[in-house]
Amino acid sequence: MTEVILENAVLVLPDEVIRGSLQMKDGRIADISSGAAGAAGAVDCGGDLVMPGLIELHTDNLERHIEPRPRVNWPHQAAIIAHDAELASVGITTVFDALRVGSVTSNAKANYGEYARALADEILELRAQGALRISHFLHLRAEICSETLVEEMAKFGPEDRIGIVSLMDHTPGERQFRDVSKLKDYVCGKHGMDDAGFVAHVEGLRALRDRLGALHEATAVAESRRYGATLASHDDTTAPQVGVSAGHGVTFAEFPTTVEAAAACRQHGIRVMMGAPNLIRGGSHSGNVAASVLAEADLLDIVSSDYVPSSLLSAALLLGDLWGDVARGVACVTQAPALATGLQDRGQLVPGARADVVRVARVGTAAAVRGTWVQGKRVA
């Protein structure tokens, strides 16, 4: 039997914040008590926040560890373990690792080859070995503008812990990059592409969308059902696009780019997810709607760290300040993502839930993680 008691803590419960203590036993939350305590061996939190472990639905962080510099391929096991440790250190206890499916094999210079199945095997093997600190699921990012989506998705099945399939349509001039100049800045800056190369890139993606887009979209929707995964849309921009997403059975929208799209999501019962970097920076790097605008309009449900893992906790506290409700802000990175992906056993501090717990000290406008527990075991 293992037992941990955190006392003298500010506990972030589903709908309120109270001063009290929390007991973890055998991987579950055993008890929550208000007021003073004094149990033998308890950890005195000194008034720190104690909240559910954060749940990350969309992160590109693993890519940064796999390829720390352009065309530098880091050993994968080491990269996965470092990625896992980094997430634990910032309070993330459940992650859906985003892997692209759908490649462009006709152009070797594009550096857009297949990798998802092999990397998924490595993640799942490390998990089976007990080498990872936190809970890992897979998020397959289905690239509509690709050549091999059908073949790649066929290599996965219900046994692969695929929690999310997202429909990724990166057609230039649509969705995230309606402003093609923003796409040019991004692609040329990241890949060192010249003007002629960028023109060819745009023409190639548009041709793929025209030739294979309908097939790929239908395949991704069907495969998500076969896996038993949650279906997400990506970068919806207009109300009609949201209507199509709703017809496919999408239950949450990643990074809608306009107020119009976010409002349409609300009308269709689709949860809205925005990026924590957008919120913290005060706007989108792609020139799309600011997350704060949606938060102020009550059109924001879930937050993702996207490409900065530490931003998830900071964004939750920032939203708590914005709304004047810490519990509501924290729910955007705990309870809401759990519900969006059908994880009924975590995301809330309630007796019987998984003891995925984070202790946090506020330091000015920042936050410092003082401890992370996964199923009652301290991992950071």
Side-chain angles (χ1 to χ4, degrees):
M1 180 179 294
T2 59
E3 179 181 79
V4 178
I5 299 175
L6 305 179
E7 66 177 20
N8 191 21
V10 176
L11 303 174
V12 184
L13 304 183
D15 299 306
E16 62 178 336
V17 175
I18 67 169
R19 192 78 170 228
S21 62
L22 178 144
Q23 179 190 38
M24 296 178 268
K25 182 183 295 184
D26 296 337
R28 297 282 169 176
I29 296 174
D31 184 64
I32 294 172
S33 304
S34 61
V43 177
D44 184 349
C45 292
D48 287 345
L49 293 169
V50 169
M51 63 183 68
L54 313 187
I55 299 174
E56 174 55 66
L57 300 189
H58 177 126
T59 174
D60 301 332
N61 190 59
L62 180 54
E63 295 178 4
R64 179 173 62 83
H65 285 275
I66 294 292
E67 190 176 7
R69 293 283 178 87
R71 300 185 185 275
V72 173
N73 189 26
W74 202 252
H76 287 186
Q77 283 193 336
I80 295 164
I81 290 169
H83 158 69
D84 170 75
E86 181 181 358
L87 298 190
S89 75
V90 295
I92 295 169
T93 56
T94 298
V95 62
F96 290 74
D97 291 312
L99 307 177
R100 168 180 53 80
V101 283
S103 305
V104 177
T105 58
S106 62
N107 180 6
K109 292 182 180 179
N111 191 30
Y112 212 65
E114 179 181 351
Y115 74 96
R117 178 68 265 183
L119 186 55
D121 287 340
E122 291 175 299
I123 294 169
L124 295 172
E125 177 60 25
L126 286 171
R127 176 183 176 274
Q129 293 174 8
L132 303 178
R133 306 182 188 205
I134 72 173
S135 180
H136 287 254
F137 294 88
L138 301 183
H139 172 169
L140 297 187
R141 305 169 74 241
E143 287 288 353
I144 304 303
C145 296
S146 67
E147 295 171 336
T148 64
L149 181 63
V150 174
E151 296 84 353
E152 289 192 41
M153 296 196 81
K155 296 177 182 179
F156 290 88
E159 69 281 1
D160 287 315
R161 289 178 67 83
I162 301 167
I164 303 168
V165 171
S166 55
L167 303 172
M168 312 288 291
D169 185 353
H170 285 123
T171 306
E174 302 285 341
R175 297 179 179 261
Q176 180 181 7
F177 290 111
R178 282 188 299 170
D179 183 344
V180 178
S181 68
K182 294 287 187 181
L183 175 64
K184 184 176 182 181
D185 291 342
Y186 176 77
V187 171
C188 293
K190 183 175 182 179
H191 299 290
M193 194 178 289
D194 60 18
D195 288 350
F198 178 72
V199 170
H201 174 74
V202 168
E203 291 176 349
L205 290 180
R206 287 174 173 167
L208 283 173
R209 185 65 173 89
D210 291 342
R211 181 163 60 93
L212 296 171
L215 171 64
H216 284 176
E217 193 165 314
T219 297
V221 172
E223 291 289 62
S224 73
R225 292 172 183 157
R226 181 171 69 89
Y227 306 149
T230 296
L231 186 65
S233 62
H234 194 271
D235 296 331
D236 287 324
T237 300
T238 67
Q241 286 175 346
V242 174
V244 172
S245 296
H248 287 323
V250 162
T251 58
F252 76 93
E254 299 188 301
F255 321 129
T257 66
T258 63
V259 174
E260 174 191 344
C265 286
R266 179 70 80 244
Q267 293 169 0
H268 285 283
I270 296 173
R271 294 179 175 90
V272 172
M273 183 173 85
M274 293 296 285
N278 178 324
L279 187 67
I280 291 168
R281 293 177 63 250
S284 162
H285 75 276
S286 302
N288 297 316
V289 69
S292 59
V293 170
L294 298 188
E296 291 166 354
D298 195 24
L299 293 172
L300 175 59
D301 303 299
I302 304 169
V303 177
S304 161
S305 71
D306 199 3
Y307 55 94
V308 184
S310 62
S311 68
L312 194 60
L313 176 58
S314 296
L317 298 178
L318 191 157
L319 284 172
D321 294 340
L322 175 67
W323 289 327
D325 187 340
V326 173
R328 183 184 176 191
V330 168
C332 289
V333 301
T334 56
Q335 183 179 8
L339 294 175
T341 51
L343 296 178
Q344 302 293 331
D345 63 344
R346 68 196 76 187
Q348 301 182 67
L349 295 188
V350 294
R354 273 175 60 113
D356 292 355
V357 175
V358 183
R359 174 186 171 188
V360 176
R362 299 202 70 165
V363 183
T365 58
V369 172
R370 300 300 192 199
T372 302
W373 290 262
V374 173
Q375 292 187 290
K377 178 182 177 181
R378 187 162 185 172
V379 297

